[in-house]
Amino acid sequence: MPRSSDSFALFALMGLSCLMASGCADSKPSDSSNNVGDRKYTIGFVQTGSESDWRKAHSDSVRQAAEDAGYELKFADGQGKQENQIKALSSFVAQRVDAIILSPLVETGWDNVLEKAAQRNIPVLILDRQVEVEDESLFVTYIGADTYNEGRLAAEWLIKNTDGKAKVVELQGTPGASPTLNRYKGFRDVIKDHPSIEIIASQSGDFRLSKGKEVMEALLKTHGDDVEVVYAHNDDMAIGAIQAIEDAGKKPGDDIVLVSIDGVKAAFESMVEGKLNCTVECNPLQGPMAMEAVAKILAGEAEDMSKRQMIKDEVYDRSVAKDIIDSRKY
Ligand code: GYE
């Protein structure tokens, strides 16, 4: 497997040889606005869709940061389908954009299309969710949250707040997505030493409020009073579950404890109302970091860029929600 530094060196070399060759279409010495003369750099951004509040904040952050950096951003909405994302990526390659940012819906199945980008020497930055590819030199860097750690943090909070004893139903995110796989595993790696924390059911709610509600309704019908805790892979599904719990005549936050991930405004509102017990933050404001990395890549300065750049998360529960809700930016 080629080392990551090889690809950085390759991009740097390409930049250099283009600068030296007169009339090279790709010659772009950077100026303070990150562009060359009156030509703007064009960045293709392939987004997963708009499944959650987190995702909306993420899209806005990328759009704003691209505008601030003076780039032209072409935005492709995958609408929750990998095939749409692959088509969009291929089309950005055909258009010869200067760089591509990909937030991949699922972890696998990217090798071929990333190969196409590499053949045209178009650098790819993976943002938010991870990819699993045979050849890691197919992308320059990954920037996003440590979603495995988020799963661990949710479990640690739960153990502390239930004295290590609870029957849990899990609402998983989109099947095959890296945060789903990581939040599933991180949670289990912590509870495995606590045999009285028992996962009695686990189903996908696709990171969507409506699906979270629907799945929760079914789980309450099957498991009734056995359900003591909901662990939701994102806030939107937890909020859907809260509605289902209320419809079933129970008190969310008291009769059933809910812990979720993201830390969006609506989760803080639910905590202030006492209906959600805890949210583990996952910061969606990734645009500025992404554009900073893109600028370095385009300037041929990415040789020592780390392959994985993880954003740190905090845990918030009902006890602090009121004090900090006004300071939340998303
Ligand atoms: O938690 C969820 C979203 O990929 C980390 O995707 C992200 C997740 C986030 O739709 O709300």
Side-chain angles (χ1 to χ4, degrees):
M1 183 181 294
R3 284 186 5 255
S4 57
S5 54
D6 294 344
S7 61
F8 300 145
L10 185 66
F11 288 130
L13 207 65
M14 276 157 31
L16 200 67
S17 54
C18 279
L19 281 179
M20 286 163 28
S22 65
C24 172
D26 282 326
S27 100
K28 311 156 189 155
S30 60
D31 64 11
S32 56
S33 68
N34 296 327
N35 290 305
V36 190
D38 52 9
R39 179 167 111 60
K40 273 189 168 190
Y41 279 131
T42 300
I43 314 298
F45 175 40
V46 184
Q47 180 59 291
T48 59
S50 51
E51 69 279 356
S52 64
D53 283 3
W54 189 99
R55 187 62 53 193
K56 286 166 206 147
H58 188 250
S59 293
D60 288 350
S61 173
V62 172
R63 279 198 177 101
Q64 188 59 52
E67 195 185 318
D68 293 347
Y71 297 139
E72 186 189 336
L73 190 82
K74 293 189 181 229
F75 185 99
D77 180 346
Q79 297 182 325
K81 291 209 174 90
Q82 184 178 28
E83 72 186 80
N84 293 345
Q85 289 199 298
I86 290 176
K87 268 190 209 143
L89 229 147
S90 300
S91 139
F92 286 149
V93 171
Q95 293 168 48
R96 291 183 179 266
V97 297
D98 296 293
I100 293 173
I101 300 175
L102 168 65
S103 291
L105 186 73
V106 291
E107 214 171 48
T108 55
W110 300 102
D111 301 72
N112 289 347
V113 70
L114 291 182
E115 196 64 60
K116 282 192 200 168
Q119 278 160 10
R120 293 276 177 101
N121 297 325
I122 300 174
V124 177
L125 183 154
I126 307 292
L127 190 65
D128 156 37
R129 296 186 184 173
Q130 286 158 289
V131 291
E132 203 185 289
V133 284
E134 188 81 7
D135 173 3
E136 287 224 323
S137 74
L138 290 175
F139 65 93
V140 185
T141 187
Y142 162 75
I143 297 175
D146 185 346
T147 53
Y148 170 77
N149 192 47
E150 290 163 358
R152 294 189 63 103
L153 291 172
E156 279 161 12
W157 181 89
L158 193 65
I159 288 161
K160 235 190 248 155
N161 288 275
T162 56
D163 294 326
K165 195 175 176 311
K167 290 200 171 89
V168 182
V169 301
E170 178 183 40
L171 301 176
Q172 294 185 34
T174 302
S178 68
T180 304
L181 301 167
N182 292 337
R183 289 168 184 172
Y184 178 99
K185 184 162 193 304
F187 190 83
R188 281 166 178 74
D189 283 353
V190 170
I191 65 162
K192 70 174 189 296
D193 299 325
H194 299 265
S196 299
I197 302 262
E198 196 192 334
I199 299 174
I200 58 170
S202 179
Q203 270 183 46
S204 171
D206 203 25
F207 285 130
R208 292 172 197 276
L209 188 153
S210 56
K211 195 79 200 292
K213 182 175 181 195
E214 192 186 305
V215 171
M216 193 64 208
E217 277 165 3
L219 290 175
L220 283 170
K221 274 191 193 126
T222 317
H223 298 280
D225 290 342
D226 276 352
V227 181
E228 293 168 342
V229 170
V230 175
Y231 164 46
H233 287 191
N234 81 345
D235 291 336
D236 291 65
M237 293 188 294
I239 290 165
I242 285 171
Q243 293 173 6
I245 292 166
E246 285 179 328
D247 290 350
K250 289 178 190 272
K251 260 187 108 182
D254 293 318
D255 295 337
I256 296 180
V257 168
L258 292 108
V259 53
S260 63
I261 298 174
D262 275 358
V264 296
K265 218 14 172 286
F268 276 82
E269 283 159 6
S270 295
M271 287 196 291
V272 169
E273 288 168 4
K275 297 176 180 179
L276 178 70
N277 301 74
C278 174
T279 186
V280 177
E281 180 182 48
C282 174
N283 194 336
L285 307 180
Q286 299 172 354
M289 246 177 116
M291 294 311 150
E292 224 173 88
V294 165
K296 278 204 180 126
I297 293 165
L298 293 175
E301 292 165 4
E303 310 89 60
D304 52 7
M305 192 178 278
S306 103
K307 200 75 191 181
R308 282 181 181 74
Q309 305 181 53
M310 301 278 201
I311 299 161
K312 210 179 159 297
D313 304 307
E314 303 284 339
V315 178
Y316 298 103
D317 68 12
R318 290 200 296 196
S319 64
V320 297
K322 225 194 200 122
D323 296 334
I324 62 161
I325 187 165
D326 290 336
S327 67
R328 299 298 297 167
K329 293 201 175 61
Y330 60 94

